[in-house]
């Protein structure tokens, strides 16, 4: 990976819960489009996932499944490097160094995701959950990343990675590249089917999301039951019709139809036909996706991850060497 002249992108997803259409449309499908133009590194961020308790047996399988999701979404293992975060100990090593040298308590206290998650969990919040954005910065900075494609909810974390890199460079000498955040225009924030004011989330109730593993029947039910807005016109208006705007976004991204075309198609009004057709579009997508997912074996994935750890390790080690030198370690 050191010989490539292409700019580097880095991104990751936590191997927990049910990956859903929000993850796919906001992040992973975007990676598949970018992989040709960039040296692409896609991480399964298992150290991020242990900020909350995981069941070991389920977790082991979720890690493999997340790699399968990347592959089924069109990430080409010949173009891009898919690897497991905990295989490369330099991630945690750099996180510790950044904790000490660059990150401040006030930086982390300002993170909106931590505020939301910690309020939801009450007393039982791990130090790791608080510190997670620093580990994320380490992930990104280890590989000289140029750009980080993520959904809208991760923007603040990538900005922190930029700030930590700049601070470190200023205090200890030029070391890190400053990464850019890449957020797609539509789909960066897919909303919940049961509540279009909140993002689609794997920690919400199943009525909130379409999991990438949902059957045609379940998917159909969820879409027909998705909340809609008052009135009956199928028009894209995020402020006044957030539910319909969200469903139109999903429909448009999965079918390749523009929102304008879809508005025209359903101009006669009424949500019934619109939802029925959308359910069909999502079902077709899921069938194709699941066929690809099911064709990949656990063993194949284990071998790929093992092999790829060796591809990324030299760069991670080289960065850590440089950082330690700057600090006198
Ligand atoms: P996570 O599931 O939190 O590990 O998120 C993995 C990736 O999916 C990140 O880039 C998120 O920004 C993105 N993502 C998660 N939920 C959504 C959503 N509802 N809409 C768009 N992108 C999302
Ligand atoms: N924190 C991200 C999330 O929960 C996942 C993540 C970890 C990540 N490290 C990263 C994303 C580095 C992009 C780059 O969605």
């Amino acid at each position: 990976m050191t010989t490539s002249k292409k700019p580097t992108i880095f991104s990751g997803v936590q191997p927990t819960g049910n990956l859903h259409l929000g993850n796919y449309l906001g992040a992973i499908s975007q990676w598949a489009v970018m992989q040709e133009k960039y040296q692409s590194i896609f991480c399964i961020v298992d150290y991020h996932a242990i900020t909350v308790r995981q069941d070991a047996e389920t977790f082991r399988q979720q890690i493999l499944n997340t790699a399968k999701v990347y592959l089924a979404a069109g990430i080409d293992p010949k173009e891009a490097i898919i690897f497991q975060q905990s295989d490369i100990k330099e991630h945690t090593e750099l996180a510790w160094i950044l904790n000490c040298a660059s990150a401040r308590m006030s930086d982390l206290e300002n993170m909106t995701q931590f505020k939301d998650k910690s309020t939801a969990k009450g007393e039982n919040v791990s130090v790791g959950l608080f510190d997670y954005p620093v580990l994320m910065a380490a992930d990104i900075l280890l590989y000289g990343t140029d750009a980080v494609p993520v959904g809208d909810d991760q923007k603040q974390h990538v900005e922190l990675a930029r700030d930590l890199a700049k601070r470190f460079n200023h205090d200890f000498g030029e070391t890190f590249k400053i990464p850019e955040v890449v957020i797609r225009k539509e789909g960066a924030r897919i909303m919940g089917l049961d509540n279009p004011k909140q993002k689609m989330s794997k920690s919400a109730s199943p009525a909130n999301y379409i999991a990438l593993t949902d059957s045609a029947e379940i998917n159909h039910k969820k879409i027909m039951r998705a909340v809609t807005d008052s009135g009956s016109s199928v028009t894209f208006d995020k402020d006044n019709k957030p539910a319909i705007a969200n469903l139109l976004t999903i429909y448009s991204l999965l079918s390749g139809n523009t929102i304008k075309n879809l508005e025209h198609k359903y101009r006669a009004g009424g949500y019934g036909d619109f939802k029925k057709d959308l359910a069909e579009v999502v079902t077709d997508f899921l069938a194709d996706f699941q066929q690809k997912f099911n064709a990949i074996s656990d063993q194949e994935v284990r071998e790929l991850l093992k092999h790829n750890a060796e591809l990324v390790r030299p760069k991670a080690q080289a960065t850590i060497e440089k950082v330690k030198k700057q600090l006198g370690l």
Side-chain angles (χ1 to χ4, degrees):
M1 62 171 285
T2 43
T3 53
S4 172
K5 294 260 181 322
K6 295 178 184 173
T8 300
I9 56 173
F10 184 103
S11 197
V13 169
Q14 298 193 39
T16 50
N18 283 315
L19 294 189
H20 52 66
L21 271 186
N23 297 127
Y24 176 79
L25 295 174
I28 304 169
S29 65
Q30 182 180 214
W31 307 350
V33 174
M34 295 176 86
Q35 65 186 339
E36 270 181 44
K37 288 212 180 109
Y38 293 85
Q39 165 69 61
S40 306
I41 312 177
F42 303 125
C43 188
I44 298 161
V45 290
D46 51 357
Y47 271 148
H48 277 86
I50 61 164
T51 52
V52 295
R53 178 74 192 261
Q54 303 296 337
D55 168 70
E57 209 49 52
T58 316
F59 193 38
R60 252 189 288 282
Q61 188 60 47
Q62 281 289 350
I63 290 167
L64 301 179
N65 287 355
T66 303
K68 292 184 193 180
V69 165
Y70 290 5
L71 294 166
I75 307 295
D76 178 352
K78 292 194 201 75
E79 294 272 3
I81 303 175
I82 298 172
F83 80 105
Q84 185 176 344
Q85 186 183 32
S86 62
D87 278 339
I88 305 294
K89 61 182 167 45
E90 283 76 9
H91 288 250
T92 41
E93 199 173 352
L94 182 58
W96 176 254
I97 292 174
L98 292 174
N99 271 336
C100 300
S102 302
R104 307 284 177 264
M105 291 296 285
S106 56
D107 294 328
L108 298 180
E109 279 159 3
N110 280 331
M111 295 292 122
T112 55
Q113 191 177 76
F114 175 73
K115 285 187 212 167
D116 293 347
K117 284 198 179 173
S118 58
T119 313
K121 282 183 76 68
E123 292 289 289
N124 206 5
V125 176
S126 71
V127 175
L129 191 66
F130 182 68
D131 196 36
Y132 137 139
V134 178
L135 179 59
M136 178 161 162
D139 299 341
I140 296 167
L141 300 179
L142 263 184
Y143 299 100
T145 302
D146 293 279
V148 185
V150 282
D152 186 58
D153 60 340
Q154 295 299 321
K155 191 168 170 214
Q156 195 186 27
H157 294 155
V158 180
E159 278 161 7
L160 177 75
R162 290 169 58 85
D163 290 344
L164 297 185
K166 285 182 197 162
R167 208 177 280 160
F168 191 97
N169 288 351
H170 175 269
D171 293 345
F172 302 99
E174 201 57 29
T175 309
F176 296 120
K177 203 178 258 182
I178 312 300
E180 301 290 333
V181 64
V182 178
I183 294 183
R184 67 186 302 181
K185 266 204 210 86
E186 293 300 337
R189 199 172 175 79
I190 299 293
M191 310 310 280
L193 297 181
D194 60 347
N195 177 1
K197 296 215 163 68
Q198 271 176 8
K199 67 167 186 171
M200 186 175 279
S201 162
K202 53 192 167 194
S203 47
S205 96
N208 171 277
Y209 58 78
I210 303 281
L212 294 171
T213 49
D214 275 350
S215 67
E217 198 185 323
I218 292 194
N219 158 56
H220 194 269
K221 253 191 213 146
K222 285 185 182 176
I223 294 206
M224 294 318 282
R225 284 185 193 159
V227 301
T228 46
D229 307 296
S230 56
S232 63
S233 69
V234 180
T235 43
F236 189 84
D237 178 348
K238 269 193 182 160
D239 295 329
N240 299 312
K241 287 187 158 256
I244 295 299
N246 187 44
L247 296 180
L248 272 168
T249 301
I250 295 172
Y251 195 148
S252 164
L253 290 172
L254 288 182
S255 67
N257 256 315
T258 62
I259 299 223
K260 263 210 158 50
N261 272 343
L262 294 173
E263 283 178 332
H264 185 70
K265 182 168 181 190
Y266 296 100
R267 67 190 177 284
Y271 297 140
D273 283 348
F274 168 64
K275 278 178 143 187
K276 232 193 269 155
D277 290 354
L278 171 60
E280 212 163 288
V281 165
V282 178
T283 299
D284 286 350
F285 162 75
L286 291 178
D288 181 57
F289 181 89
Q290 288 167 13
Q291 192 191 13
K292 291 177 184 148
F293 181 99
N294 291 330
I296 308 163
S297 71
D298 288 352
Q299 190 51 26
E300 220 175 304
V301 169
R302 278 191 206 102
E303 280 164 24
L304 181 73
L305 295 178
K306 197 161 165 230
H307 176 258
N308 286 356
E310 300 319 314
L311 296 183
V312 293
R313 197 185 308 282
K315 176 70 182 167
Q317 284 176 336
T319 304
I320 282 289
E321 279 315 307
K322 187 167 176 194
V323 167
K324 285 170 82 170
K325 212 175 188 178
Q326 307 281 57
L327 294 170
L329 288 163

